[in-house]
Amino acid sequence: MSMRFTGKARRGMVALAAVAGLTVGSAACGGGGGDDDKKPQNSSSASTVDGSQPDPQEGQSEDPLAEVKGPGGLLLQIASAARDSGGFVTVSGVLKNDGSEVAVIPLELSGNETEIMNNGRSLGGATLVDSKSKKRYYVLRDTEGRPLTTTGFSTLKAGESIDVFLQFPSPPADTTDVSFQLPLFPSAVIKVSG
């Protein structure tokens, strides 16, 4: 009987080893080796600051709508500006440290409104300007005054990037070109889709 038990135990261990090997192998195949690591940082595999934020890169093309350089090697690539049926526009992109040293995110990017500044560093100082309607749109806030934009980041290491998003009230449906403005960065004209 002990021989029979040993045979069963051995077969069980072999089966367990085979399952573990397949699991590790399949995780390695889908986990990011090879050519996937060579994709640009504005793909959906780029890191995010807060897992609860919407994925700003879903379904977007490789070419950015605009690219603007800020202080300390910071580079903002705007990938999309999509109008939503709920009455807002979501601007998505990537903020990257294109320099060779750690970049400290300037406080000015949060803007100068006390309510937004009280919620930590963000891109809350950004605006969209509709020159056709002569209106400026500020980043939306939730019911507690937090800006509806990427928050909670203070530095970026050299070469590091984060996905960013900002939500604004929607300009009129016939407005397609708006000027995106972020403190310390040059303005950029972007197309609103949808």
Side-chain angles (χ1 to χ4, degrees):
M1 189 130 174
S2 66
M3 223 187 225
R4 186 177 211 174
F5 176 77
T6 306
K8 282 184 180 179
R10 236 183 253 145
R11 282 193 300 271
M13 292 300 287
V14 168
L16 180 62
V19 169
L22 288 173
T23 303
V24 170
S26 66
C29 289
D35 291 340
D36 288 345
D37 289 342
K38 296 175 186 167
K39 287 183 182 175
Q41 283 297 319
N42 63 349
S43 72
S44 61
S45 65
S47 64
T48 58
V49 174
D50 181 1
S52 65
Q53 296 174 356
D55 184 0
Q57 301 302 307
E58 248 177 54
Q60 295 173 2
S61 67
E62 294 292 322
D63 294 331
L65 293 178
E67 192 172 89
V68 289
K69 293 185 179 192
L74 292 175
L75 175 69
L76 177 63
Q77 295 175 324
I78 300 173
S80 73
R83 196 182 312 264
D84 186 276
S85 60
F88 59 87
V89 168
T90 301
V91 175
S92 303
V94 174
L95 181 64
K96 180 179 182 179
N97 178 357
D98 217 17
S100 58
E101 298 179 11
V102 172
V104 176
I105 306 302
L107 289 173
E108 290 88 348
L109 299 187
S110 299
N112 58 9
E113 294 181 47
T114 306
E115 188 174 37
I116 289 180
M117 290 172 61
N118 287 341
N119 286 291
R121 292 198 185 172
S122 70
L123 301 177
T127 59
L128 290 182
V129 177
D130 175 5
S131 56
K132 183 177 176 183
S133 300
K134 296 182 176 31
K135 289 188 178 179
R136 179 182 301 267
Y137 299 94
Y138 294 87
V139 170
L140 292 168
R141 298 177 195 142
D142 67 14
T143 55
E144 296 177 15
R146 291 184 298 248
L148 297 181
T149 180
T150 305
T151 60
F153 54 97
S154 58
T155 61
L156 288 176
K157 296 174 189 167
E160 184 179 15
S161 63
I162 58 169
D163 291 341
V164 294
F165 78 98
L166 309 94
Q167 291 184 323
F168 300 91
S170 181
D174 63 341
T175 298
T176 56
D177 292 344
V178 292
S179 177
F180 176 85
Q181 298 178 347
L182 182 64
L184 306 178
F185 284 76
S187 298
V189 175
I190 60 174
K191 283 208 173 302
V192 177
S193 62

